[in-house]
Amino acid sequence: MILKILGTQSPYNTKDHNCPGFLIQDGNNRLMLDSGSGSHSLLNFPNDLQNLSVILTHLHRDHYNDIFNLQYSSFVFHNQKRIEKPIDIILPATPVSIHDDILSEDNSFATYKTITPSQKLKIGNMNISFCQTDHPVETYAVKVNNGNRTIVYTSDTSYSAKNKLVNFAKDADLLICESSLLKEHGFPEINTHLTAQQAATIAKEAHVNGLILTHFWPEEPIEKYVQEAKNIFKNTIPAIEGLTIDIPIIQKENILER
């Protein structure tokens, strides 16, 4: 599996930084995890629309805004006969108004599935499962396994879901974990997001091989997140837009390009 980082920042994107998005390629199949503002700018059109599935982990705008660009792009490239297969969009059932708005887009070449907590999907060789996290809207962590390697993406979550996430990510090759907050600011232990220290604690207790931190506040230096996490879990790197990684990760020889 090849992972390309499309977006790392929230709640808004800035120059050279996009809101959350990750692209996994396994053989000829592509899986995009979230479609935050600006994330589509790092896709290769129309190639990355071929055999593309998109999982929207939850329907907060910083995680789904660019889905409308993907819908319209699929519509245009299909009309030009440059893609043959519709993109597959997989999303939570709630908030209903947003779910229905996405499905009602007419200028789209897409199919749709609604996530349920016990759902399991298969895309090519990729087996996909979900774990509902604790967040103000219906939100899912995602596990992707191709028979050889496992990637887990937490999406947004409170530390109250720690035990669920530790079990869900157990022994994964890579954990992509949100780390919106820094302990130094004195946030309460249970919040709507994780500190970098909490992300590292989940990684350590789950015995994952590597941790990628993401979902950074735009005004904070990324180095602060990494240092806070490395005090708990050494094999940590920050998510960086455009970084492409072969799994297993976090050795320089596995970083293909940037």
Side-chain angles (χ1 to χ4, degrees):
M1 286 190 290
I2 305 295
L3 171 72
K4 183 175 182 179
I5 298 171
L6 306 176
T8 67
Q9 196 167 268
S10 181
Y12 55 91
N13 59 315
T14 57
K15 187 178 184 298
D16 299 325
H17 296 286
N18 304 318
C19 288
F22 300 88
L23 182 68
I24 298 171
Q25 183 161 354
D26 185 65
N28 293 323
N29 294 290
R30 296 170 177 85
L31 174 63
M32 189 170 174
L33 302 175
D34 284 332
S35 185
S37 304
S39 60
H40 76 288
S41 66
L42 291 177
L43 294 176
N44 296 315
F45 290 93
N47 289 346
D48 282 340
L49 296 178
Q50 307 282 2
N51 300 317
L52 176 66
S53 299
V54 183
I55 294 176
L56 302 179
T57 61
H58 65 292
L59 299 180
H60 275 161
R61 288 190 177 275
D62 58 324
H63 287 254
Y64 79 84
N65 261 350
D66 271 12
I67 197 62
F68 300 105
N69 297 334
L70 293 179
Q71 287 174 299
Y72 189 61
S73 297
S74 70
F75 176 78
V76 170
F77 283 117
H78 175 62
N79 287 346
Q80 294 177 353
K81 302 188 185 306
R82 298 175 69 184
I83 63 170
E84 296 180 357
K85 182 180 176 183
I87 63 173
D88 192 17
I89 298 172
I90 304 153
L91 71 169
T94 62
V96 173
S97 60
I98 300 173
H99 172 277
D100 291 352
D101 185 37
I102 292 171
L103 268 63
S104 69
E105 177 58 53
D106 290 331
N107 293 328
S108 177
F109 184 52
T111 60
Y112 302 93
K113 295 184 180 73
T114 300
I115 300 171
T116 59
S118 61
Q119 187 174 24
K120 297 187 185 299
L121 301 175
K122 190 170 181 65
I123 301 172
N125 291 323
M126 292 183 284
N127 296 294
I128 297 158
S129 54
F130 300 92
C131 174
Q132 191 162 2
T133 69
D134 296 346
H135 201 54
V137 297
E138 182 183 1
T139 306
Y140 294 94
V142 183
K143 182 189 297 183
V144 183
N145 175 277
N146 70 349
N148 295 306
R149 303 297 179 194
T150 301
I151 299 172
V152 173
Y153 171 47
T154 65
S155 188
D156 293 1
T157 185
S158 168
Y159 200 54
S160 59
K162 173 198 165 190
N163 291 339
K164 288 195 295 185
L165 288 168
V166 166
N167 290 332
F168 189 63
K170 186 69 71 177
D171 299 323
D173 294 281
L174 173 64
L175 176 65
I176 306 168
C177 191
E178 78 112 314
S179 58
S180 308
L181 311 176
L182 291 168
K183 183 182 177 184
E184 69 181 58
H185 294 308
F187 292 103
E189 180 181 61
I190 303 302
N191 208 305
T192 56
H193 289 280
L194 301 177
T195 64
Q197 182 184 74
Q198 289 170 339
T201 301
I202 291 169
K204 181 177 181 179
E205 293 190 14
H207 303 290
V208 303
N209 289 338
L211 170 65
I212 292 184
L213 299 178
T214 190
H215 210 271
F216 305 120
W217 182 258
E219 298 172 11
E220 290 286 0
I222 290 175
E223 295 77 13
K224 284 189 173 184
Y225 294 96
V226 176
Q227 187 55 55
E228 183 174 301
K230 279 192 170 184
N231 289 332
I232 303 292
F233 189 82
K234 297 298 183 187
N235 207 17
T236 299
I237 64 171
I240 300 172
E241 280 81 359
L243 188 67
T244 303
I245 303 170
D246 196 356
I247 311 299
I249 61 98
I250 314 194
Q251 294 188 14
K252 288 185 179 179
E253 61 266 29
N254 290 330
I255 298 177
L256 302 182
E257 63 182 33
R258 180 174 166 184

